[in-house]
Amino acid sequence: MKTTKHSHLALLLTSASMLAMPALATTSEQDTFFDSIAAHCGKAFEGTVTAGNTVDSAFSGKKLVMHVRECSDTQLKVPFHVGEDHSRTWVITKTQYGLHLAHDHRHKDGSEDKVTMYGGMTGDMGSPSEQSFPVDAHSINNFRENGLDVSITNVWHMYIKPQEFTYRLTRENRDFRVDFDLTKPVDLPPVPWGHK
């Protein structure tokens, strides 16, 4: 097949337009979901465990507070405070493959826990009010290295409605869920460990 100047030009234009395309490839459902959380930026809300088992006893009787603390166009940082434990921050990031959820775990001195930044990428477009994050390969390796084989089938879920935000973790024999009341902002918690 003969190539012409026109076909070369078309190829160049196609390549150029591909380079100009945004690197982020979140769906409109994911963008709406992201924006719905970002709308609460700067506010904190109290939560209640609504599903769990003995594995989740560390959460019982403690004040649970989520704080939509840092917001940019591409990333949200939401510390999850459990009583006096300020080690956890959810990091939701827009990527070229969809939304990614990571769990930033720190020690009191700010150093990273050996089990940190685990999570997963959205497996589908989800909906404006619900996104699921199946465990990714990096996290599976991290869990195995640290004797947490039970976690290698984790799926994390987040739901947002006008009045409620939910964080949920599911796997075989485990369904942990915390519901946060978005209608009643609470006092801001301390700075999470390892953050400024």
Side-chain angles (χ1 to χ4, degrees):
M1 181 179 143
K2 282 202 303 188
T3 55
T4 64
K5 283 183 182 175
H6 289 296
S7 61
H8 279 306
L9 184 62
L11 189 64
L12 279 170
L13 288 170
T14 306
S15 303
S17 64
M18 284 172 74
L19 287 172
M21 283 170 63
L24 303 180
T26 46
T27 65
S28 60
E29 291 85 355
Q30 290 165 351
D31 289 339
T32 301
F33 173 84
F34 184 98
D35 293 344
S36 296
I37 299 173
H40 297 284
C41 204
K43 295 178 185 170
F45 306 95
E46 193 164 346
T48 309
V49 175
T50 53
N53 57 28
T54 51
V55 179
D56 306 308
S57 58
F59 296 90
S60 58
K62 305 245 174 83
K63 187 172 182 177
L64 308 177
V65 175
M66 65 174 277
H67 178 193
V68 188
R69 187 170 182 268
E70 291 181 51
C71 309
S72 75
D73 291 343
T74 57
Q75 190 172 78
L76 305 174
K77 291 188 178 179
V78 184
F80 173 38
H81 301 267
V82 180
E84 297 304 309
D85 182 341
H86 310 296
S87 64
R88 302 170 177 86
T89 299
W90 302 320
V91 184
I92 304 160
T93 307
K94 290 184 180 184
T95 79
Q96 64 190 56
Y97 306 109
L99 291 178
H100 183 265
L101 169 66
H103 297 72
D104 182 349
H105 274 210
R106 306 290 182 100
H107 295 290
K108 204 166 188 174
D109 65 3
S111 62
E112 288 191 348
D113 192 277
K114 59 186 178 181
V115 181
T116 190
M117 298 313 282
Y118 59 85
M121 189 77 64
T122 45
D124 55 37
M125 68 180 66
S127 78
S129 61
E130 179 179 339
Q131 294 292 329
S132 295
F133 307 87
V135 65
D136 59 25
H138 162 80
S139 306
I140 290 171
N141 291 337
N142 184 262
F143 289 146
R144 284 192 165 135
E145 283 166 11
N146 290 286
L148 296 172
D149 286 30
V150 71
S151 298
I152 64 170
T153 57
N154 280 3
V155 182
W156 296 272
H157 315 265
M158 289 180 164
Y159 314 99
I160 186 156
K161 300 172 189 164
Q163 285 149 27
E164 186 177 71
F165 175 86
T166 297
Y167 170 86
R168 185 180 179 204
L169 162 64
T170 59
R171 63 172 181 250
E172 193 175 349
N173 301 319
R174 179 113 191 257
D175 188 347
F176 173 69
R177 178 176 174 140
V178 187
D179 295 331
F180 297 86
D181 184 351
L182 297 180
T183 68
K184 298 176 189 161
V186 297
D187 291 340
L188 298 186
V191 174
W193 298 340
H195 293 258
K196 292 178 182 174

